[in-house]
Amino acid sequence: MVTALDVEWAVRWVRCAAADVRAHRDELTELDRLIGDGDHGVNMDRGFTAVVARLDGPDGAALETVGQVLQLVATTLMSTVGGAAGPLYGTAFLHASRVTARPVLDAAGVLALVEAAAEGIASRGHAVPGNKTMVDAWHPAVEAAGEVVDGGDALVVLRAAADAAGAGALATIPMTATKGRASYLGERSAGTQDPGACSTALVLAAAVTAAEQAGAS
């Protein structure tokens, strides 16, 4: 059975992401306390809570494409999330919204979403793989999604991206940060998972959860 990644899925993705960010808020904040400003979990929770509030209001009733959902996420995160995360995630979702202006995503559409989000983050943060940033989760997600896109199953592509993002986030643990506030610590940044990469893995895993819920219903 092919799972439809439609507007309802996109809305469910945001709700799942908000719940997962809330559940891991303290973990994300602690990771950021060790190598950053110490506010990543709190900021992400605030942002996604605000997104859900908009979905529950009049704005949520007028969404007809996946791209419109992602644009709502982008604008809300940009206006409510402090630190670097707001502009980075906001840009990611904004770029993704531009390539998903359709009611349903197929496998190629999922790849386009992940590619655009990753490109948005890389361009906004001027980071490359190996810098110990969220790019280290997004880059392998794009590569993994691209490897399975020809199979034609959107959920397979989404799951490959999420699994690779999770592995990428864990791979930041031994890295020495060369970008962002964590880079000020030099070698002392090694041994801690990058909080942005960790939240990226959570957000993409939430997309899979949302799709699986659709398939089970």
Side-chain angles (χ1 to χ4, degrees):
M1 185 178 93
V2 177
T3 302
L5 300 185
D6 54 13
V7 176
E8 291 184 359
W9 160 76
V11 170
R12 198 162 47 246
W13 172 17
V14 176
R15 295 186 186 280
C16 288
D20 288 349
V21 166
R22 171 65 59 86
H24 292 272
R25 179 182 59 189
D26 292 345
E27 174 191 351
L28 293 172
T29 296
E30 176 61 14
L31 289 175
D32 200 37
R33 185 189 69 79
L34 292 171
I35 61 173
D37 293 330
D39 58 3
H40 187 60
V42 173
N43 284 339
M44 290 291 288
D45 182 33
R46 180 191 305 118
F48 274 96
T49 297
V51 174
V52 170
R54 287 192 66 188
L55 288 175
D56 289 338
D59 292 338
L63 302 171
E64 298 179 350
T65 69
V66 173
Q68 289 175 345
V69 177
L70 301 186
Q71 184 177 37
L72 181 148
V73 176
T75 56
T76 307
L77 293 182
M78 285 180 175
S79 63
T80 59
V81 178
L88 288 170
Y89 270 108
T91 302
F93 278 101
L94 185 61
H95 282 223
S97 74
R98 294 170 179 165
V99 298
T100 54
R102 64 193 73 171
V104 180
L105 299 185
D106 57 10
V110 173
L111 175 59
L113 185 164
V114 178
E115 285 179 331
E119 187 278 328
I121 285 177
S123 63
R124 183 73 185 233
H126 305 289
V128 297
N131 284 162
K132 195 183 179 93
T133 70
M134 62 175 67
V135 170
D136 290 301
W138 282 101
H139 179 72
V142 171
E143 290 192 329
E147 290 174 358
V148 297
V149 70
D150 288 341
D153 191 311
L155 179 54
V156 170
V157 176
L158 189 61
R159 187 178 289 117
D163 289 348
L170 291 176
T172 65
I173 294 174
M175 292 180 181
T176 297
T178 56
K179 197 77 177 176
R181 184 169 291 275
S183 65
Y184 300 160
L185 297 175
E187 293 183 358
R188 287 180 295 159
S189 64
T192 299
Q193 184 175 183
D194 178 72
C198 183
S199 63
T200 293
L202 289 174
V203 168
L204 287 177
V208 175
T209 299
E212 291 174 339
Q213 287 177 352
S217 62

